[in-house]
Amino acid sequence: MSKETITIYDVAREAGVSMATVSRVVNGNPNVKASTRKKVSEVIDRLNYRPNAVARGLASKKTTTVGVIIPSVTNLFFSSLALGIDDIASMYKYDILLANSDNNEDKELQVFKTLLSKQVDGIIFMGNDISDKMKKEISRTNTPVVCAGTVSSDFDAPSVNIDLVLAYKEATEYLLRDNQRVSLVTGPAEYDMNKEFRLKGYQQAHEAAGRNIHQDLIIQDKFTYEDGEKIVAQLIAGKADSVVVSDDEIAISILNAMKDRDISIPEDFEIITGTNSMLTQYVRPELSSIQIPLYDIGAVSMRLLTKIMAKEEVDEKQVVLIHKFIYRESTRED
């Protein structure tokens, strides 16, 4: 009998018991005589029976499966988060169903509904923003959802992130120490993460320093690596002397475009980037960066989800982890 054809029926027939008894043994139900449990277990080992997770899920209403929505599998920010999620999921015996939304709001909703249809026990949502439609879907479902590395000012779903306002305030303050025109480059302005968190930190730093904010140096759009030259042209036109960038790939694009113009980094222009992915050390000069504990955000998100799924008491549903700064070659020393 091949491994692929072994079913609970085969085990029950070989052991001379009912399928219900086999199910009780597999699920650790104590209401089975020791001698029967031993006999069934021996047959399971001999036939190398592997229970069907979907079938078990239908019976127990648990699939021991967690869905993870990621906006881009190629983005190091989210892939690092996913690694932390996977490690803790394995520790707690959960399988991961990874769904890529391709940074598309409609596909994001589609994969969310698909994961629910697969009866996952919980979902970890990662995205550059939480759209109103997604907020509505998360609020409607009874399936626990935790947002990892994604926050919203008007949505109180369980989440794990850093204090983005404080991080961008501190990064901007560092550049304002001896620069007059500090720019901010992020993703689209309509994204809550940019509008209510990154931009707010940038504004608070200027207010604290008594500096004017130059609106032409707030550059927010859906950028790709190819937009580096266009961004640098705006920075030069606005007479910027430094920049805080939310995305490491875009920061590298700006760095390379500056070097193409023979602008010296950090002597003539300083750069601080936003996530401290491994990319920051692959370039020359190496990039100073906000250090987000990416792996920890993923790991803590998964642990928070396991507690919610198990209906354990949770002291804090909006978890804020500590960020740091890594000062490298793209900023001048104090």
Side-chain angles (χ1 to χ4, degrees):
M1 197 178 292
S2 67
K3 291 181 181 179
E4 291 75 17
T5 61
I6 300 299
T7 67
I8 192 172
Y9 172 78
D10 299 317
V11 175
R13 184 185 60 201
E14 290 286 322
V17 298
S18 69
M19 287 188 287
T21 298
V22 175
S23 178
R24 293 190 190 101
V25 172
V26 168
N27 290 292
N29 191 309
N31 298 323
V32 180
K33 290 195 300 184
S35 58
T36 302
R37 183 182 303 279
K38 182 175 182 294
K39 179 171 62 174
V40 172
S41 296
E42 288 173 349
V43 173
I44 288 173
D45 289 341
R46 176 163 53 83
L47 297 182
N48 197 25
Y49 170 63
R50 295 290 180 268
N52 185 301
V54 174
R56 290 177 64 187
L58 291 173
S60 67
K61 297 183 180 179
K62 287 186 64 178
T63 61
T64 62
T65 302
V66 167
V68 175
I69 299 176
I70 187 169
S72 173
V73 294
T74 62
N75 188 308
L76 290 174
F77 178 93
F78 295 107
S79 59
S80 296
L81 290 181
L83 180 60
I85 292 169
D86 186 59
D87 282 353
I88 301 303
S90 298
M91 184 184 301
Y92 285 89
K93 311 299 182 186
Y94 279 93
D95 294 319
I96 294 292
L97 278 179
L98 187 65
N100 180 29
S101 67
D102 290 329
N103 284 306
N104 181 286
E105 183 179 321
D106 291 334
K107 186 174 180 181
E108 197 172 70
L109 291 168
Q110 176 190 330
V111 297
F112 183 81
K113 293 175 181 179
T114 298
L115 289 172
L116 292 179
S117 72
K118 293 182 182 296
Q119 299 185 340
V120 294
D121 296 331
I123 293 175
I124 293 181
F125 173 80
M126 291 184 275
N128 294 305
D129 189 44
I130 312 175
S131 69
D132 289 339
K133 290 180 181 178
M134 180 56 69
K135 291 174 187 176
K136 183 178 179 180
E137 290 298 325
I138 292 174
S139 299
R140 287 176 54 189
T141 183
N142 292 322
T143 301
V145 178
V146 171
C147 299
T150 307
V151 291
S152 175
S153 60
D154 62 351
F155 191 55
D156 62 354
S159 64
V160 183
N161 208 330
I162 65 166
D163 186 335
L164 281 173
V165 174
L166 180 60
Y168 278 77
K169 179 176 184 283
E170 292 173 346
T172 305
E173 284 177 334
Y174 184 83
L175 293 177
L176 282 171
R177 74 200 186 285
D178 58 6
N179 292 313
Q180 296 299 315
R181 299 176 71 86
V182 178
S183 178
L184 175 70
V185 174
T186 75
E190 63 267 22
Y191 286 2
D192 212 27
M193 296 256 291
N194 299 323
K195 177 177 59 178
E196 295 295 334
F197 294 90
R198 295 183 174 109
L199 177 58
K200 187 169 289 185
Y202 174 82
Q203 292 169 331
Q204 287 180 3
H206 281 79
E207 291 167 5
R211 301 285 190 85
N212 294 325
I213 294 175
H214 303 282
Q215 295 297 328
D216 57 334
L217 294 181
I218 299 173
I219 304 171
Q220 298 180 297
D221 206 343
K222 196 169 187 178
F223 294 118
T224 66
Y225 180 84
E226 287 71 26
D227 293 317
E229 177 56 38
K230 179 175 71 175
I231 297 170
V232 168
Q234 289 182 256
L235 294 173
I236 292 173
K239 298 182 180 179
D241 44 32
S242 56
V243 64
V244 182
V245 190
S246 64
D247 184 90
D248 291 352
E249 186 175 318
I250 303 306
I252 292 171
S253 179
I254 291 171
L255 172 67
N256 290 338
M258 287 281 182
K259 290 165 68 177
D260 289 343
R261 290 172 175 257
D262 293 324
I263 297 173
S264 181
I265 309 293
E267 291 79 11
D268 299 327
F269 195 92
E270 294 185 271
I271 302 173
I272 293 179
T273 188
T275 59
N276 195 44
S277 70
M278 63 183 72
L279 292 176
T280 59
Q281 298 177 70
Y282 288 171
V283 294
R284 295 295 180 272
E286 295 183 3
L287 289 169
S288 297
S289 181
I290 298 169
Q291 184 182 37
I292 298 177
L294 299 177
Y295 177 92
D296 292 349
I297 289 177
V300 173
S301 297
M302 184 63 214
R303 182 65 184 108
L304 177 60
L305 185 61
T306 64
K307 289 183 177 182
I308 297 172
M309 290 187 298
K311 294 180 169 56
E312 296 178 21
E313 185 174 342
V314 177
D315 296 329
E316 190 177 9
K317 288 190 175 181
Q318 279 78 40
V319 180
V320 179
L321 300 184
I322 300 298
H323 67 274
K324 298 179 181 178
F325 283 92
I326 303 296
Y327 295 106
R328 297 193 180 95
E329 299 165 347
S330 67
T331 52
R332 297 188 292 273
E333 296 183 3
D334 282 329

